Structures are given as C-alpha cells and as structure tokens.
Amino acid sequence: MFFLFGLTSRERMLFARNATCHFCGQYVPQRVLQRRTKLTVFFIPLVTLNRKRLMVCSNCGGTSKISAGQQRAMAG
C-alpha cells in the first residue's frame, strides 16, 4: 500500500493599487497576492499549512511580505 502526498502552492491576485515601490522608487501599480501552501493526499488538498500576503511591483518585480492589517488598509 502506498500514499501519494505532497505540497501545493497557489497564488491568487486580490487587487492592484498604485503606490510607490520600496525597491525602484517608481509610482506604479502594486499587485497584492495571496500565496497558500496546502498539504495534499491523492491530489486532494486537505490542510492549509501556510498563507502569505505579498505586494509585487509591476515595474521591477520587487516582492515584499505584508500583514493582514496592511492588506485591509490598502484595500479600503
């Protein structure tokens, strides 16, 4: 008997907003992404192990982590 298990990471774009990039200093759209890592068994996702919120610059591609509070502040 054997089990097929592994980890799966998926990204979802939540929204985009114009802001100044911390890396290149340009005022360009910043995409806010949510990356989830899930444990899968037989290709069925079971448990979310990790959840990250990222802000990605559309100009230089610089990526930084943001908190849930920062995400809510940017969305509102």
Side-chain angles (χ1 to χ4, degrees), residues 13 15-20 27-32 55-56 58 70-76:
M13 187 173 104
F15 59 89
R17 185 163 189 183
N18 287 337
T20 303
Y27 186 74
V28 293
Q30 306 289 318
R31 294 180 294 148
V32 175
M55 188 168 65
V56 181
S58 63
Q70 290 172 322
Q71 175 193 338
R72 284 191 296 273
M74 288 181 66

Side-chain angles (χ1 to χ4, degrees), residues 25-39:
Q26 299 294 317
Y27 186 74
V28 293
Q30 306 289 318
R31 294 180 294 148
V32 175
L33 305 173
Q34 185 177 53
R35 181 181 297 159
R36 291 182 179 170
T37 303
K38 294 187 176 189
L39 174 69

Side-chain angles (χ1 to χ4, degrees), residues 6-75:
L7 298 175
T8 305
S9 292
R10 305 258 169 134
E11 284 187 356
R12 180 173 65 122
M13 187 173 104
L14 301 175
F15 59 89
R17 185 163 189 183
N18 287 337
T20 303
C21 177
H22 298 291
F23 299 101
C24 65
Q26 299 294 317
Y27 186 74
V28 293
Q30 306 289 318
R31 294 180 294 148
V32 175
L33 305 173
Q34 185 177 53
R35 181 181 297 159
R36 291 182 179 170
T37 303
K38 294 187 176 189
L39 174 69
T40 60
V41 176
F42 292 110
F43 306 105
I44 300 170
L46 295 179
V47 179
T48 300
L49 299 176
N50 193 0
R51 182 180 298 165
K52 292 181 185 177
R53 291 162 187 87
L54 305 169
M55 188 168 65
V56 181
C57 177
S58 63
N59 184 43
C60 68
T63 303
S64 59
K65 286 173 130 178
I66 60 173
S67 68
Q70 290 172 322
Q71 175 193 338
R72 284 191 296 273
M74 288 181 66

